[in-house]
């Protein structure tokens, strides 16, 4: 079989060896069956062998050997454990009948070699037959391209990784070759420009051009720590050896490694963290230009290829572009450690996305979306982050075109898949800056941003973000919070409303904080909950809501209050007379947060609640958000609720104004008015003390003169008798400070 000329590229390296292996064993089993029936000279048998020979050729396109092995009753081909099938059974049966555990087919095998082998392979012969041992038959026929139970057949099987072809996985040529290359840096250095025989000696049977193509990718995938450890180990050898010739061996290996890692994405970091003496010796050893090596040529070729494609696709006469071809070339840049060049390419494509030519914009969009799919966000972090940052900058400077909406969505989706919530937050924050709220209506100054938000605002995505927030770490949860707030849709508010009663307190608090920042979206969602009578239904003999309803209602009221939006008063005022005192208590707190004239009016109503706790809370809230204009309303309430008068009087002192001063002055000066107000339900001294303190709180001259006049109006006997009373002490303390 001829060694076909191989064009190594990303497409060919994606070839699935498992599919080939299963196809080969199927066709070989069929050919063996026909050979056993018709014999070698029959045209049917000869034609049947063409198909397995074809599949042998497809595998030999990439590697020198095809191995069959039996282990624990399972058939392996190319070290892939094949799925159970009738075809496997036929091959295993033929092998076991001849006591064969390993077969090895070499790339130079001819069709005649395969025909002779299969003809003998399917024969049922006695162990006493001289050709029972197939290896003897092959030796006599001088067939060197097929080996039976040979050391090489066993060694390759034992030294290669085993794969499960009966489960889903990556069975590409690239994956198999990278696995064979291993992670031993010292060995990888020796594979540069290596020949086939040397590779075979190291149990690598892929051809040198494939190895050379993938070697830069393998080197770039090694961690900087592992490379630095090898270099430090070699440096130790250089420093401890006395003989100069002996030192040359590890030092030359160090220099070879540095030439090899020229394209490693963290090369500078590796150098910086080396021992100073070693770094000086390396730098003194000369420039690390690998352009003359096979790997260096590959890097140059990949750069030239990407530049050529850009020139071809975006020239004035270009009509079409192949996004897959470009993404393969771009992936090659990344895999050969040329992140700097990749960033440059991304920036150029972004420029084309902003171009006035619509064809250029569409081409650039298609290519960038294909390129985004190729990213491994962890390995290609710097390039991916630069792409996100470029989009953020263009949004900030209003350079985006409508095509950016699709690119933003693709980047967001990639971040979501890779759980890069920090980048998602950065994208959505930049988008949110292009959206305003005008008179309760969301207005976008960019259709690109509006479309991107519509793409992101999907139930599946929202549910995934919330799930990640629940299960994620603290820093991750903060990023997710920023994303949810930036999107700010009613769908998000509705989804969060489902977990505001979560058993974990931290999650409840995080959800409520997000809802409080969602503004009108939260307002609409939670207003609907409060206005929905089904949430307030309970058994006829119960005042309190069932727990599962109470938690939702409580949190809904909390969110409406936290929003501090006057529109939140509309649903809340419907429930100020609810039978559950807990509901009324939460509503008072919400009114206090919202504030405003209408909230004060509603609190005045709640200041006459049948439960004193609610009345006092409402009066206190009025004291915090009311003003002097509220005083007449409170005075009116005081006349009907003597029990709350001391609290109301105290609040009047806080609110101030002429009405408050006049009312308090009359009360302290008119014993009959004070007695009527107390109504026999509270102590007149308690009420009098509250009035004095309220006047002291007002602190103006009129109020202080009223207190002094009250004190002067007392008889000598009263002054002596009540000298140490709370009322006298309060008056003396207030007047002494003025």
């Amino acid at each position: 079989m001829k060694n076909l000329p191989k064009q190594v590229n990303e497409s060919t390296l994606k070839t699935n060896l498992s599919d080939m292996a299963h196809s080969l064993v199927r066709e070989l089993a069929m050919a063996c069956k026909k050979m056993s029936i018709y014999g070698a000279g029959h045209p049917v048998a000869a034609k049947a062998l063409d198909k397995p020979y074809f599949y042998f050729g497809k595998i030999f396109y990439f590697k020198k050997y095809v191995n069959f092995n039996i282990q624990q009753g399972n058939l392996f081909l190319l070290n892939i454990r094949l799925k159970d099938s009738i075809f496997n059974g036929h091959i295993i049966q033929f092998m076991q009948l001849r006591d064969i555990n390993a077969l090895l087919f070499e790339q130079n095998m001819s069709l005649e070699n395969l025909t002779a082998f299969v003809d003998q392979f399917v024969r049922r012969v006695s162990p006493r037959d001289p050709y029972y041992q197939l290896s003897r038959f092959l030796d006599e026929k001088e067939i060197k391209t097929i080996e039976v139970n040979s050391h090489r057949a066993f060694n390759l099987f034992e030294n290669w990784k085993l794969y499960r072809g009966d489960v889903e996985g990556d069975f590409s040529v690239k994956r198999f070759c990278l696995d064979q290359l291993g992670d031993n840096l010292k060995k990888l250095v020796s594979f540069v420009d290596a020949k086939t025989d040397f590779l075979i000696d190291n149990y690598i049977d892929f051809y040198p051009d494939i190895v050379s193509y993938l070697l830069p990718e393998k080197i770039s995938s090694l961690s900087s720590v592992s490379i630095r450890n090898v270099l430090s180990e070699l440096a130790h050898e250089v420093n401890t050896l006395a003989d100069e010739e002996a030192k040359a061996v590890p030092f030359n290996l160090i220099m070879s490694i540095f030439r090899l890692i020229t394209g490693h994405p963290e090369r500078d970091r590796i150098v910086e963290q080396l021992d100073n003496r070693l770094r000086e010796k390396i730098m003194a050893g000369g420039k690390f230009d690998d352009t003359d090596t096979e790997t260096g040529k590959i890097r140059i070729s990949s750069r030239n290829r990407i530049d050529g494609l850009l020139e071809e696709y975006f020239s004035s006469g270009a009509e079409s572009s192949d996004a897959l071809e470009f993404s393969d070339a771009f992936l090659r840049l990344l895999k050969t450690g040329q992140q700097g060049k990749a960033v440059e390419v991304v920036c150029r494509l972004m420029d084309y996305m902003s171009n006035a030519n619509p064809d250029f914009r569409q081409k650039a969009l298609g290519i960038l979306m294909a390129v985004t799919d190729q990213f491994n966000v962890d390995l290609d972090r710097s390039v991916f982050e630069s792409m996100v940052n470029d989009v953020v900058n263009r949004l900030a400077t209003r350079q985006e075109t409508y095509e950016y909406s699709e690119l933003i969505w693709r980047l967001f989706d990639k971040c979501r898949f890779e759980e890069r919530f920090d980048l998602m937050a950065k994208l959505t924050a930049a988008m949110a800056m292009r959206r305003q709220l005008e008179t309760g209506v969301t207005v976008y100054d960019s259709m690109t941003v509006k479309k991107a938000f519509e793409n992101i605002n999907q139930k599946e995505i929202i549910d995934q973000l919330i799930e990640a927030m629940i299960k994620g770490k603290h820093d991750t949860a903060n990023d997710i919070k920023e994303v949810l707030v930036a999107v700010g849709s009613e769908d998000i508010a509705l989804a969060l409303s489902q977990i505001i009663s979560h058993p974990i307190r931290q999650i409840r608090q995080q959800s409520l904080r997000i809802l409080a920042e969602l503004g009108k979206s939260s307002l609409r969602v939670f207003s609907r909950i409060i206005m929905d009578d089904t949430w307030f239904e309970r058994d006829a003999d119960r005042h309190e809501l069932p727990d599962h309803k109470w938690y939702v209602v409580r949190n809904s009221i909390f969110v409406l209050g936290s929003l501090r939006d006057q529109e939140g008063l509309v649903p809340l005022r419907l429930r100020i007379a609810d039978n559950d005192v807990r509901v009324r208590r939460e509503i008072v707190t919400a009114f206090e947060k919202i504030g405003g004239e209408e909230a004060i009016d509603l609190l005045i109503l709640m200041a006459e609640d049948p439960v004193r706790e609610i009345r006092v809370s409402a009066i206190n809230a009025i004291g915090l958000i009311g003003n002097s204009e509220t005083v007449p309303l409170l005075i009116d309430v005081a006349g009907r609720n003597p029990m709350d008068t001391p609290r109301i009087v105290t609040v009047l002192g806080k609110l101030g104004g002429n009405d408050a001063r006049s009312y308090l002055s009359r009360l302290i000066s008119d014993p009959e008015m004070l007695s009527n107000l107390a109504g026999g339900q509270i102590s007149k001294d308690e009420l009098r003390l509250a009035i004095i303190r309220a006047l002291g709180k007002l602190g103006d001259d009129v109020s202080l003169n009223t207190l002094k006049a009250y004190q002067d109006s007392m008889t000598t006997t009263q002054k002596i008798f009540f000298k140490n009373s709370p009322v006298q002490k309060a008056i003396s303390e207030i007047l002494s400070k003025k």
Side-chain angles (χ1 to χ4, degrees):
M1 182 174 291
K2 290 185 178 181
N3 185 3
L4 300 174
K6 290 169 285 298
Q7 181 182 1
V8 184
N9 53 48
E10 293 297 321
S11 296
T12 58
L13 292 178
K14 291 177 182 176
T15 303
N16 191 312
L17 291 177
S18 178
D19 290 346
M20 284 192 180
H22 284 87
S23 298
L24 172 56
V25 79
R26 181 184 68 244
E27 298 302 338
L28 183 60
M30 293 299 297
C32 287
K33 184 176 182 180
K34 291 180 180 179
M35 180 68 79
S36 66
I37 296 172
Y38 293 103
H42 199 283
V44 173
K47 184 177 180 181
L49 280 169
D50 287 340
K51 290 184 178 179
Y53 188 70
F54 169 76
Y55 282 107
F56 270 115
K58 292 189 75 172
I59 297 173
F60 288 143
Y61 186 84
F62 303 103
K63 62 202 306 284
K64 186 173 183 178
Y65 294 111
V66 174
N67 60 307
F68 288 71
N69 297 82
I70 295 177
Q71 185 185 70
Q72 298 178 347
N74 297 304
L75 181 63
F76 287 77
L77 202 166
L78 303 179
N79 278 38
I80 302 170
R81 176 179 165 179
L82 302 179
K83 301 174 185 176
D84 291 334
S85 71
I86 189 173
F87 307 111
N88 298 5
H90 288 326
I91 299 297
I92 291 173
Q93 182 181 16
F94 285 126
M95 290 178 71
Q96 289 178 336
L97 286 173
R98 304 297 284 269
D99 197 22
I100 298 172
N101 286 306
L103 289 171
L104 193 68
F105 298 86
E106 197 259 336
Q107 180 263 335
N108 289 318
M109 178 183 69
S110 64
L111 181 58
E112 291 74 18
N113 293 159
L114 181 61
T115 302
F117 166 79
V118 172
D119 179 42
Q120 187 62 30
F121 181 60
V122 300
R123 292 176 185 269
R124 295 180 178 271
V125 297
S126 166
R128 294 187 296 274
D129 189 291
Y131 287 159
Y132 178 79
Q133 297 292 332
L134 260 176
S135 55
R136 178 181 296 180
F137 169 80
L138 295 172
D139 287 341
E140 289 190 9
K141 297 297 183 180
E142 297 184 347
I143 298 176
K144 307 296 183 183
T145 56
I146 303 175
E147 299 177 12
V148 178
N149 290 341
S150 65
H151 288 296
R152 179 157 43 196
F154 284 111
N155 285 341
L156 291 177
F157 179 70
E158 292 167 0
N159 284 281
W160 288 342
K161 181 178 177 180
L162 299 182
Y163 304 88
R164 291 281 303 274
D166 54 343
V167 297
E168 291 295 325
D170 181 5
F171 299 99
S172 64
V173 171
K174 174 187 282 190
R175 191 266 178 98
F176 275 56
C177 185
L178 289 174
D179 285 348
Q180 286 190 11
L181 288 173
D183 297 320
N184 188 318
L185 183 57
K186 294 178 183 178
K187 277 194 172 183
L188 290 172
V189 171
S190 67
F191 298 154
V192 176
D193 300 332
K195 303 302 180 187
T196 300
D197 291 342
F198 180 81
L199 295 174
I200 293 295
D201 290 341
N202 286 276
Y203 304 107
I204 299 172
D205 72 332
F206 286 93
Y207 296 119
D209 50 356
I210 295 177
V211 171
S212 295
Y213 186 91
L214 290 175
L215 193 55
E217 179 175 336
K218 169 57 75 172
I219 296 296
S220 296
S221 69
L222 297 180
S223 71
S224 60
V225 175
S226 65
I227 295 173
R228 192 169 61 252
N229 289 342
V230 172
L231 290 170
S232 298
E233 177 189 329
L234 292 171
H236 180 71
E237 289 185 39
V238 173
N239 294 331
T240 54
L241 291 172
D243 185 69
E244 291 299 324
E245 290 186 8
K247 284 185 176 184
V249 175
F251 184 75
N252 289 337
L253 184 53
I254 289 174
M255 301 302 289
S256 297
I257 289 173
F258 259 85
R259 279 190 287 272
L260 192 60
I261 66 171
T262 299
H264 194 282
E266 296 186 79
R267 177 187 177 278
D268 293 339
R269 183 180 175 187
I270 294 170
V271 175
E272 288 173 2
Q273 295 180 353
L274 288 176
D275 177 80
N276 289 335
R277 288 183 300 171
L278 176 59
R279 186 165 61 246
E280 289 171 2
K281 287 182 180 180
I282 291 171
M283 294 307 169
K287 295 181 179 180
F288 301 101
D289 186 358
D290 65 347
T291 54
D292 293 333
T293 66
E294 190 63 30
T295 54
K297 292 174 183 176
I298 288 172
R299 290 192 183 95
I300 294 171
S301 174
S302 62
R303 289 198 297 270
N304 292 339
R305 182 186 177 203
I306 205 87
D307 287 338
L309 289 173
L310 282 171
E311 185 66 28
E312 176 186 343
Y313 293 164
F314 296 99
S315 61
S316 57
E319 296 182 356
S320 63
S321 61
D322 187 340
L324 290 178
E325 180 185 16
F326 193 95
S327 65
D328 279 348
F330 187 82
L331 180 62
R332 188 65 184 146
L333 277 181
L334 298 175
K335 295 302 183 183
T336 53
Q338 301 184 84
Q339 274 68 19
K341 179 64 176 178
V343 170
E344 176 192 324
V345 170
V346 166
C347 290
R348 288 182 64 183
L349 289 169
M350 291 286 194
D351 289 338
Y352 285 124
M353 282 272 288
S354 302
N355 195 283
N357 187 327
D359 290 336
F360 282 9
R361 294 201 302 270
Q362 285 297 322
K363 286 181 184 178
L365 173 63
I367 291 171
L368 281 170
M369 292 178 72
V371 162
T372 301
D373 292 339
Q374 297 282 13
F375 278 121
N376 180 316
V377 176
D378 287 331
L379 296 178
D380 309 319
R381 181 180 305 160
S382 61
V383 184
F384 188 74
E385 288 180 356
S386 72
M387 192 171 181
V388 172
N389 290 333
D390 197 311
V391 171
V392 168
N393 291 334
R394 290 174 192 268
L395 286 172
T397 54
R398 302 175 184 271
Q399 296 181 42
E400 81 283 354
T401 55
Y402 188 71
E403 287 78 8
Y404 270 81
S405 61
E406 293 301 321
L407 179 60
I408 291 170
W409 160 240
R410 186 62 62 91
L411 288 173
F412 184 93
D413 201 42
K414 186 71 172 180
C415 292
R416 178 173 68 100
F417 181 77
E418 300 285 350
E419 297 190 342
R420 285 299 305 272
F421 301 113
D422 56 329
L423 297 180
M424 293 165 67
K426 185 177 287 189
L427 271 175
T428 51
M431 293 160 59
M433 295 297 291
R434 306 290 299 278
R435 178 186 64 201
Q436 292 83 34
L437 194 65
E438 297 179 1
T439 61
V441 178
T442 302
V443 178
Y444 297 88
D445 65 8
S446 167
M447 289 302 296
T448 299
V449 172
K450 185 175 186 294
K451 176 62 175 175
F453 270 131
E454 289 173 354
N455 289 334
I456 293 170
N457 189 40
Q458 300 178 30
K459 185 179 186 304
E460 175 191 354
I461 295 173
I462 294 170
D463 290 346
Q464 182 183 344
L465 288 171
I466 293 175
E467 182 73 14
M469 182 184 71
I470 292 173
K471 296 180 177 179
K473 298 178 182 178
H474 177 70
D475 53 346
T476 300
N478 285 336
D479 289 330
I480 296 172
K481 174 192 170 186
E482 291 183 22
V483 174
L484 295 173
V485 171
V487 177
S489 67
E490 286 188 38
D491 295 318
I492 289 175
L494 183 61
L496 287 170
S497 72
Q498 308 303 312
I499 63 167
I500 55 178
S501 300
H502 196 279
I504 299 176
R505 181 170 178 268
Q506 183 180 357
I507 294 172
R508 294 199 303 270
Q509 290 179 333
Q510 180 79 315
S511 302
L512 292 171
R513 280 195 293 268
I514 296 172
L515 287 165
E517 294 185 40
L518 287 180
K520 294 294 185 183
S521 296
S522 288
L523 178 67
R524 287 187 283 268
V525 168
F526 289 98
S527 292
R528 286 197 291 267
I529 292 175
I530 298 300
M531 296 174 75
D532 185 351
D533 290 338
T534 58
W535 284 106
F536 293 86
E537 292 174 354
R538 70 210 85 180
D539 294 339
D541 58 344
R542 293 196 55 163
H543 290 297
E544 294 184 344
L545 294 171
D547 285 348
H548 71 281
K549 291 184 177 181
W550 157 241
Y551 292 132
V552 174
V553 169
R554 179 195 64 187
N555 292 329
S556 299
I557 296 171
F558 173 84
V559 172
L560 289 174
S562 300
L563 292 173
R564 291 176 166 80
D565 190 315
Q566 292 293 310
E567 291 183 27
L569 297 172
V570 176
L572 291 175
R573 67 189 178 192
L574 299 177
R575 306 298 174 185
I576 62 174
D578 189 85
N579 289 334
D580 193 332
V581 67
R582 298 173 301 174
V583 172
R584 305 201 299 277
R585 184 193 304 126
E586 293 298 322
I587 289 176
V588 168
T589 304
F591 286 162
E592 178 188 322
K593 291 179 180 177
I594 296 172
E597 183 179 348
E598 186 176 353
I600 294 172
D601 291 342
L602 292 168
L603 285 170
I604 290 292
L605 293 176
M606 298 191 76
E608 298 188 66
D609 192 275
V611 177
R612 187 167 189 273
E613 175 196 353
I614 302 301
R615 296 198 303 271
V616 172
S617 296
I619 293 167
N620 289 338
I622 293 170
L624 294 172
I625 65 173
N627 52 49
S628 60
E629 295 179 2
T630 313
V631 169
L633 299 174
L634 276 176
I635 293 173
D636 181 61
V637 172
R640 290 190 298 275
N641 297 283
M643 289 291 294
D644 302 320
T645 303
R647 186 69 252 170
I648 292 175
V649 165
T650 300
V651 170
L652 292 178
K654 292 181 180 179
L655 298 178
N658 292 330
D659 290 335
R661 181 172 55 252
S662 175
Y663 178 70
L664 294 172
S665 297
R666 290 201 313 272
L667 277 178
I668 198 66
S669 304
D670 188 342
E672 184 178 353
M673 181 180 178
L674 186 143
S675 181
N676 291 335
L677 188 60
Q681 298 184 37
I682 58 170
S683 165
K684 287 187 285 185
D685 283 341
E686 179 187 353
L687 179 55
R688 188 177 289 111
L689 179 61
I691 296 169
I692 289 168
R693 286 176 175 167
L695 286 168
K697 185 72 175 177
L698 292 175
D700 61 283
D701 292 341
V702 175
S703 299
L704 295 177
N705 289 334
T706 300
L707 288 176
K708 193 172 185 310
Y710 172 75
Q711 187 181 48
D712 292 341
S713 69
M714 297 177 69
T715 65
T716 304
T717 303
Q718 288 176 321
K719 290 179 181 180
I720 295 172
F721 188 75
F722 295 111
K723 179 179 180 181
N724 294 319
S725 69
V727 170
Q728 285 295 332
K729 284 183 177 180
I731 295 174
S732 298
E733 182 181 347
I734 293 169
L735 294 177
S736 66
K737 292 180 180 179
K738 302 302 177 179

